[in-house]
Amino acid sequence: SQTIHQWPATLVQPVGSPLSLECTVEGTSNPNLYWYRQAAGRGLQLLFYSVGIGQISSEVPQNLSASRPQDRQFILSSKKLLLSDSGFYLCAWTPGRYGYTFGSGTRLTVV
Amino acid sequence: GQQVMQIPQYQHVQEGEDFTTYCNSSTTLSNIQWYKQRPGGHPVFLIQLVKSGEVKKQKRLTFQFGEAKKNSSLHITATQTTDVGTYFCAGASGGSNYKLTFGKGTLLTVNP
């Protein structure tokens, strides 16, 4: 069966520090991968999505970047975090035009 | 770009009462999906609707997709405390890139 792993679960980082969040999917190949951010009490904002290795589409220009170095690995990064980068970061995958399976998320607090 | 509006933002009910949340898209959708997010958790996929006018049921939950494929609703009959959470609709438009636009969600609280 397919599983999605996302870590860490929580993270507290100072302003100006770098960020790297990792997401991996098991049990499938060539998944569509997505990074969403959820601010407290708000909806889900699509940040990046990828349909294949090295293929990244950015939805919202901001202080973040994404990479897909392997088929089932999706990484969210920042060189210098801002206070406004705080939020709940969710990775998701789908085999095609179906429902998403979300990871358990990373709660990032920038202080 | 595509926008998905969802109302109400909050709904508090007594256990046993019914609950409905509505979703409207600014564009015609190829499909619409519904998710549930428990407090402190991550969104979990509930269902996908594809056909115009489609109605699907999951136990006490009834999902509808409008005839114009621009609106949808989720109705819960006789709510239980286990129904607490935020319900999101998410719409997909046509095209080669498959991505969902989520509504802001409806937070349901149930008083036992």
Side-chain angles (χ1 to χ4, degrees), chain B residues 30-94:
Chain B
S30 61
N31 70 66
I32 195 157
Q33 300 175 12
W34 286 90
Y35 293 77
K36 178 183 179 181
Q37 184 177 23
R38 294 182 183 275
H42 58 277
V44 174
F45 173 70
L46 295 176
I47 206 162
Q48 175 174 283
L49 304 172
V50 179
K51 299 177 182 177
S52 170
E54 189 170 14
V55 178
K56 287 188 175 180
K57 293 189 176 184
Q58 290 180 349
K59 297 182 180 180
R60 295 177 293 105
L61 277 62
T62 301
F63 304 85
Q64 294 187 343
F65 200 11
E67 294 290 340
K69 301 184 73 172
K70 295 181 72 173
N71 62 292
S72 181
S73 66
L74 158 60
H75 180 82
I76 302 178
T77 303
T79 55
Q80 300 175 359
T81 55
T82 53
D83 295 325
V84 165
T86 301
Y87 292 85
F88 293 97
C89 63
S93 56

Side-chain angles (χ1 to χ4, degrees), chain A residues 11 37-40 83-89 106-110:
Chain A
L11 194 58
R37 178 169 61 195
Q38 185 176 35
L83 287 174
S84 57
D85 292 323
S86 294
F88 189 35
Y89 288 83
T106 296
R107 298 192 183 278
L108 171 66
T109 303
V110 183

Side-chain angles (χ1 to χ4, degrees), chain B residues 10-22:
Chain B
Y10 306 98
Q11 184 76 58
H12 178 74
V13 300
Q14 290 291 127
E15 188 173 21
E17 292 181 339
D18 292 357
F19 159 77
T20 305
T21 174
Y22 302 90

Side-chain angles (χ1 to χ4, degrees), chain A residues 10-80:
Chain A
T10 59
L11 194 58
V12 179
Q13 292 285 98
V15 169
S17 64
L19 174 74
S20 180
L21 302 180
E22 188 165 342
C23 172
T24 60
V25 181
E26 295 180 355
T28 187
S29 60
N30 198 31
N32 291 344
L33 295 171
Y34 307 84
W35 278 111
Y36 280 84
R37 178 169 61 195
Q38 185 176 35
R42 298 181 65 90
L44 296 152
Q45 179 188 34
L46 178 62
L47 302 176
F48 302 95
Y49 67 96
S50 172
V51 298
I53 297 174
Q55 300 178 57
I56 308 295
S57 295
S58 174
E59 287 294 298
V60 182
Q62 54 197 322
N63 188 39
L64 302 169
S65 62
S67 62
R68 185 170 176 174
Q70 301 180 38
D71 181 43
R72 290 168 289 178
Q73 184 184 31
F74 205 21
I75 298 172
L76 182 69
S77 303
S78 174
K79 292 183 178 179
K80 289 186 178 181

